[in-house]
Amino acid sequence: MKKQDIISFFELYFSDIRKQSSWDFSGPQIYTSDREVTCVALSLDTDLNTIRQAINEGCELLITHHPLFFSSSKGINYNNFNDNKLIEAIKGGLNILSYHTNIDMANNGTNEYIISFLESKIIKDNEVDSSNIVKEAIKDSYKRLILPSIERE
């Protein structure tokens, strides 16, 4: 499968990249080649162990929730922890694709899942001392995070 087909699938059927927060950097993180993708690794974070494991398993693509980059780079230094991850991935021919806040705010995304979990596990048990606080936090999260995302569609 081509990497671009995987990217198109995620962005068309799973989560619209335009929903990401303005400070976020979702989408392709590292693009090393156009070779066919035969093995994909999935991870929450782009840490060095995950990168090495994906390369050792023969994966050409690592898809993560948290992106490799959160700020602009002013150069690459092997002694810098984040830059070292970048160098390892490039040396290993590993492409990295991340979807962060656009997945958080997607319909049936991370935020809706967490709210649904809290409603089903905590709020229904009114004996929990914090149930009113959790109810207010859920209402606030829905109003500030999820509703604006729905209204943009």
Side-chain angles (χ1 to χ4, degrees):
M1 177 175 272
K2 296 202 180 299
K3 182 175 33 205
Q4 189 56 48
D5 294 336
I6 295 170
I7 292 170
S8 295
F9 170 80
F10 267 86
E11 293 181 10
L12 183 63
Y13 296 107
F14 193 58
S15 181
D16 186 345
I17 194 77
R18 296 172 296 178
K19 287 186 177 182
Q20 71 179 315
S21 296
S22 60
W23 53 265
D24 195 17
F25 183 58
S26 290
Q29 305 287 298
I30 298 176
Y31 193 90
T32 62
S33 72
D34 287 324
R35 68 182 181 175
E36 288 284 309
V37 174
T38 60
C39 179
V40 177
L42 302 173
S43 179
L44 177 64
D45 292 309
T46 313
D47 60 57
L48 194 54
N49 288 335
T50 300
I51 289 170
R52 288 178 176 156
Q53 183 177 356
I55 292 168
N56 289 338
E57 296 288 328
C59 296
E60 299 89 2
L61 178 62
L62 170 62
I63 301 173
T64 67
H65 180 60
H66 295 131
L68 182 59
F69 305 103
F70 276 102
S71 61
S72 62
S73 177
K74 296 187 185 213
I76 299 173
N77 179 342
Y78 190 79
N79 295 316
N80 177 287
F81 181 72
N82 208 46
D83 291 350
N84 196 3
K85 294 188 288 185
L86 172 69
I87 292 166
E88 288 284 325
I90 291 171
K91 282 176 27 181
L94 184 66
N95 299 283
I96 299 178
L97 181 62
S98 300
Y99 292 107
H100 187 216
T101 55
N102 56 315
I103 294 293
D104 290 342
M105 293 188 262
N107 293 336
N108 297 314
T110 310
N111 290 341
E112 285 189 6
Y113 174 80
I114 291 170
I115 288 171
S116 173
F117 176 81
L118 289 173
E119 286 176 335
S120 67
K121 300 292 182 190
I122 296 174
I123 292 181
K124 290 182 181 173
D125 182 6
N126 286 322
E127 293 176 18
V128 175
D129 291 339
S130 61
S131 66
N132 286 331
I133 294 170
V134 172
K135 287 178 188 178
E136 290 304 314
I138 289 172
K139 286 179 192 175
D140 180 59
S141 294
Y142 184 83
K143 182 177 73 180
R144 288 185 310 106
L145 298 173
I146 296 173
L147 191 57
S149 172
I150 294 169
E151 290 172 347
R152 278 189 296 239
E153 290 182 348

